[in-house]
Structures are given as structure tokens and as C-alpha cells.
Amino acid sequence: MASPFVEIEVDDRVVKVTNPERVYFPDLGATKLDLVEYYLAVGPGIVNALWERPCMLHRFPKGLAGDKVHQKRLPQGAPAWVETVELTFPRWNRTADELCVTELGAVIWAVQMSTVEFHPWNSRRGAVEEPDEWRIDLDPGPEAPYAAVREAAHVAHEVLDDLDAVGFPKTSGSKGLHVYVRVRPDHGHQVVRRAALAFARECERRAPDVITTAWWKKDRDPAHVFVDYNQNARDHTIAAAYSVRGLPDARVSTPIRWDEVDDVDPHDFTIETVPDRFAELGDLHEAIDEHVFDIAPLLEWADAAELPED
């Protein structure tokens, strides 16, 4: 028997969504169709976050009750209008054609293919090897309260202000917080990662009782917040702004204002609550391309600290 389906109109596209009533998120009873409707509601935001970036997909073909598939290559059966970008992986001597979103229809098609999470690169297909997005990942240790994440965010904000850089914060959708800074695509991934390490070290210097840059987990205080500079390495990805996370409560990685850091609880942002917030506030990351930062001061810090170049 053929599976039930609905047809979703997205601009000038029609996407056939099969098994729309399959429950994906048990805590909410939310279905595949609910997930589609969420992404439609935040369409401009998710498209802005993914625009022309190679994108790895986290798929749940049976919902969260089944296995998660980390998929670099575009799933088979894509319509001709779904765009891709070819990436090279020298370590394995392979290439992969990854999803490259240029319209909302491609997002909805990926959801039809059981995608829950969208994890884009920090570079775009026109310059895949030169990132235009510096990502600050505040990752709390297993014993760190969320208050420590908030404190670390304020330290990061202070350092960004001193650099005259504009950061755009968002919840991770899990335990931490991310801050994105638009940068000029003048350097390779290793250089941007080195700049990110210099920034992380300065945050650690200012708040050593809260922040760590220790690479090995065994060397970290479990109550500290790790500034994970390695998220700027090549082929490292984190959930996009407005991406749903593969958690039972359907939490969303949600842009916030700096003045909300002390008040928001990441658990409050789900596919049920974020559409109304988006309708009221719009895309809080919409202006990120208007604030481009030159990482030269960070590279000067890296040179002064004799940080490694690889």
C-alpha cells in the first residue's frame, strides 16, 4: 500500500511529503508535517542561515525513535532544482555533492527526506576554502550550570566589543550558546581557526574561573565552559540558526539578542514556540552580512602568543 502523502506548495515549487503523520518528537507528539510547517514558518531565517553553504544533513528516517544518519552527500531522488556544491576530502581521496540551499523549497525537500538538523559549513560555495563566518561555540562541561554559559557569553561579548566586532548570538538548541561573526573570506580554515583560538585564549584570560581552552577533556574542569575554537576547522559544522535539534522536545537553535542572554532558557525554544517569536521579531541574524570583521587583530594576538599555525 502506498504511503499517505500531502503536497506542500513552496513559492513556485511543489514538494510531496510522505508519511506526514509519523511522530518525530515523542515529548510533543509532533509529526513530520509539524516539522515541515515549522520550517515554512521560519523560512527566511533558515534560508539566510544556509544560503549557498555546503550543508550536512542529520536525518532520522524513522523519527527520533530510529537511528540518526549523518549525511554529506545529497540523498538520491532530488529534483533537478535542488542545488549542490562539490566538496573534496583529501584525507579519503573522495568528493561529495552536498546540499546547497538557495531557496526554501530545498529545505522542505530535505525535511521530506527525513532531515531534522541542518549543519552548514562556515564558508560558501563560491569560496569553499575561505570561511566568511567565525563561530564562537560556548560548550559547557558536564557539571557547568547554564549560568556559567551566560557568564561566558558576556565575556565573549566584552572581547568582541573591544575588537569592534559585531557578534550575533543564538542558543545551540542543546546545552550551550553560539555567537557568529561575519568575516572577510580572505583566509583559509586553518587561519580562521587560529584567530578563533586567540580569541578563546583572551576570554579564558579574563575569566579563568569560568572559561577553558584546554583541548583534552581530561584536562578541563567539568564545571567550566569550553570555547571550542575547533568548530572553525575545515568540514566542522554546527547546527544552523533556526535548525531544529534531534531532541525529544523538538528544541530549536534560536537567535537571541544580547540583552536576552540572562533571561532566556534554551528549553523554551521549540518548534511550537519559535514560529510566534519569528513572526514578532523577524530574523535576528538578518543583518549579519552588514557587519564584516577583519580578523587581523586576532592574528596579531596569535602571533604574540606564538600560537601554532596548524
Side-chain angles (χ1 to χ4, degrees):
M1 181 180 297
S3 64
F5 69 90
V6 295
E7 291 186 334
I8 305 294
E9 293 187 13
V10 191
D11 300 322
D12 59 344
R13 311 295 188 191
V14 176
V15 179
K16 181 179 178 180
V17 176
T18 58
N19 299 307
E21 299 306 316
R22 174 174 287 160
V23 174
Y24 268 45
F25 303 97
D27 282 13
L28 298 179
T31 65
K32 184 179 184 180
L33 183 58
D34 292 326
L35 184 63
V36 167
E37 290 176 344
Y38 161 77
Y39 278 116
L40 290 171
V42 299
I46 188 65
V47 170
N48 184 47
L50 301 177
W51 183 261
E52 292 203 335
R53 299 187 184 281
C55 188
M56 184 170 73
L57 308 176
H58 288 197
R59 299 174 56 234
F60 293 81
K62 301 297 184 182
L64 267 64
D67 294 334
K68 176 166 70 171
V69 177
H70 293 224
Q71 185 142 0
K72 294 181 183 293
R73 289 179 173 81
L74 190 75
Q76 293 183 350
W81 49 265
V82 173
E83 299 189 35
T84 62
V85 55
E86 184 182 74
L87 301 178
T88 301
F89 299 96
R91 180 178 178 183
W92 297 283
N93 193 29
R94 294 178 181 174
T95 62
D97 292 324
E98 291 197 9
L99 176 68
C100 191
V101 168
T102 58
E103 58 180 292
L104 182 56
V107 174
I108 303 306
W109 178 82
V111 176
Q112 149 58 18
M113 299 303 293
S114 307
T115 299
V116 172
E117 301 188 21
F118 293 85
H119 287 239
W121 279 41
N122 63 345
S123 58
R124 302 184 196 264
R125 66 177 173 184
V128 168
E129 303 303 334
E130 291 80 35
D132 72 336
E133 194 162 79
W134 160 30
R135 296 171 174 177
I136 302 164
D137 180 8
L138 305 179
D139 183 14
E143 298 177 16
Y146 195 71
V149 177
R150 293 185 173 116
E151 187 172 350
H154 288 308
V155 174
H157 192 193
E158 177 185 276
V159 179
L160 288 172
D161 281 350
D162 289 348
L163 290 164
D164 197 25
V166 180
F168 289 77
K170 68 182 182 72
T171 64
S172 70
S174 183
K175 298 178 181 179
L177 192 145
H178 302 151
V179 183
Y180 286 0
V181 181
R182 185 65 77 241
V183 297
R184 287 163 37 184
D186 294 341
H187 304 284
H189 293 276
Q190 288 185 332
V191 175
V192 175
R193 177 186 179 276
R194 186 168 181 256
L197 173 56
F199 175 86
R201 290 282 176 86
E202 177 60 17
C203 291
E204 182 181 39
R205 186 189 70 80
R206 297 191 189 194
D209 294 334
V210 178
I211 292 172
T212 181
T213 61
W215 177 248
W216 300 108
K217 288 184 178 181
K218 65 181 178 63
D219 297 329
R220 298 178 203 159
D221 185 323
H224 279 44
V225 175
F226 176 49
V227 182
D228 189 356
Y229 52 89
N230 206 49
Q231 294 293 6
N232 295 279
R234 189 183 192 272
D235 195 30
H236 281 233
T237 61
I238 51 182
Y242 301 105
S243 175
V244 181
R245 303 306 305 270
L247 297 170
D249 60 357
R251 234 173 295 163
V252 173
S253 181
T254 306
I256 60 175
R257 301 186 306 264
W258 282 111
D259 63 6
E260 294 182 293
V261 167
D262 286 336
D263 299 320
V264 299
D265 182 335
H267 294 82
D268 293 339
F269 298 133
T270 71
I271 63 171
E272 292 185 332
T273 61
V274 172
D276 286 344
R277 176 181 170 86
F278 189 87
E280 179 184 355
L281 300 178
D283 178 10
L284 293 181
H285 284 194
E286 182 179 15
I288 190 170
D289 288 333
E290 300 171 15
H291 301 276
V292 181
F293 175 65
D294 184 343
I295 66 173
L298 291 176
L299 297 178
E300 291 176 4
W301 290 1
D303 289 341
E306 299 182 343
L307 297 181
E309 296 188 6
D310 54 16

